Amino acid sequence: MVCPECAHPMHAKVSRYGLRFFAHDPGAPTCALAGESMEHHLLKLEMATAVRTAGYHAELEVRGPDGDWRADVMASSPDGSLRMAWEAQLSPITVDEITQRTARFAKDAVRVCWVAAKLRPWVGEVPSIHVRPPSEGEPNWTVAGGLARFTVDTCDEDFLCRSVGHGEWHETGADLRSFTAWALTGRAVPHRLPSWLHTDQHAWTGVWTAPQYITAAAAYQQAHDRAVAEFEEQQRIQEAERRRREAERRARVAALAAAPPKPPAQQPAVPEQGRRTAPRLEPEWQVNLPSREREHLHTAAVAETRLLLGVNAQPRHRDGDRRWALGTPLYAGVRPYAVLRPRPQFVDWEQLKGLLIFVRNIDELRLLGHTAPNGTRIIVLPEQEPPAR
C-alpha cells in the first residue's frame, strides 16, 4: 500500500485507543499527509469509521475534479446520490479562508462538515462541530458543541410569555458516530440562528439541529409575532380609551368649575342678638357616605388609576391611617399610587407628594385645592349612575 499523496509505502498501525490507521514507512519524502499530527490521523480514522457505521462508503483524501479541494473523508451514499466531506480542521484558519473552502465544496454539490478539536473563531460560521477526544471516563469521540435543539417552556414572566411560552435554543450533545449518521441521513442539518446562542465556551451563529426543531422555532416565532401584534393593538386601544376618559374628565372638571358653588344648607334662624359668627359659605366634607357610594368610588378610582398610570392598583387600609389623612390609598404591589378622599383638615401634602388624589365632586376639589401645592393632580371621579327604575 502506498500514500495517495506521495506514493511512498505505508504500513498499518494501531493507536493506544485501539484505532487502526496507516503510517508512512521510514524514509518518507516531504508529504502533506506525513506532516499531519497523530490527533489529526486519529480523528480522520474515527470519522471514516463513523461514516461506515452509518452504512455509507468512506474514502480518505479525495480530491475534487478540478483539484481545488481535498476531503479528509468523503462519505458517499450506497446509491452514489449523496456526497459529504468530513474535514478535520485542527490547524488555525481564518473565517474567510474556511468560507471560501466551503464554497468550493458546494460548487461541486458536496456537503461538508468541519470538525474542530478546539474552539476557533470560525466554528459556527460554517457547518461545523466541536469534538472532544476519548478520555478515561468517555471512550468515544463526542460532540461537545455545535449541536442544538429548540424548546418552548411555559412562563408567567410577562404577557408574551403567558401567551406563547418561552422559546429558546439549547446546546445538546451526542457521540460523534451518532451525529455522523444523523448528518448523513438528514436527521441533523446545518441551521443559521436568528440570534447568538451563548454557551459557557462559545457564541454560536450556526448549529446542527433536527428539521423538526427548525419547524418548531419558525412556528414559535410566528406565534410570538402574532402575540406582539395583539399586545400592541390592545395597548393602542387602551391608550385611546385613556385619552378619551381623560378628555371627558377634563371637560367634566371644567364644567363643574364653571358652575356656581352649591348654596350652603339652610340654617335655622338665630336671633340677631344671639348670632356670634357669619354663616358658613364653604361646603362641608361629608364623612359617612353610603356603602354603595363608597364601593362606587373605590371602583372608579381603580379604573382611573389604571387608565392614567397604567397600573392595576387596589384599595388598601381603608379610612384608618393618618398618613393618608383618613383617605384610602391605592397600591400596586408595595407601592402607593393614589389616595381617595383624604380629609382636608388632616392632609400633610409632603406625605402625599407625587400621588394622584381622587375626590367625589367639585366641592371636595375646592376644599383640597385651597392648600394643595402646585403640581398636585386632584381628579374628580365620575358620578355614580342612578339606579335603574
Side-chain angles (χ1 to χ4, degrees), residues 50 53-56 82 84 111 147-149 177-190 208-214:
T53 301
Y56 280 59
L82 180 145
M84 183 173 181
R111 295 161 51 197
L147 186 60
R149 59 190 178 91
R177 295 190 182 185
S178 295
F179 169 77
T180 302
W182 299 340
L184 290 172
T185 56
R187 286 177 288 171
V189 295
W208 289 81
T209 190
Q212 61 264 31
Y213 290 135
I214 298 175

Side-chain angles (χ1 to χ4, degrees), residues 328-346:
T328 302
L330 281 82
Y331 276 80
V334 297
R335 178 182 169 185
Y337 284 87
V339 179
L340 172 62
R341 301 189 71 233
R343 296 191 197 177
Q345 64 269 38
F346 300 120

Side-chain angles (χ1 to χ4, degrees), residues 147-182:
L147 186 60
R149 59 190 178 91
F150 185 81
T151 62
V152 179
D153 299 321
T154 57
C155 178
D156 295 326
E157 185 176 335
D158 54 33
F159 171 81
L160 291 178
C161 285
R162 289 192 296 272
S163 299
V164 297
H166 190 66
E168 60 183 352
W169 289 93
H170 300 275
E171 187 178 45
T172 187
D175 63 86
L176 180 56
R177 295 190 182 185
S178 295
F179 169 77
T180 302
W182 299 340

Side-chain angles (χ1 to χ4, degrees), residues 319-335:
D319 307 325
D321 194 331
R322 286 296 180 95
R323 177 188 175 189
W324 313 116
L326 301 186
T328 302
L330 281 82
Y331 276 80
V334 297
R335 178 182 169 185

Side-chain angles (χ1 to χ4, degrees), residues 349 352 355 357 372-378:
W349 289 111
L352 305 184
L355 301 179
I357 307 298
N374 290 337
T376 304
R377 298 180 69 185
I378 304 178

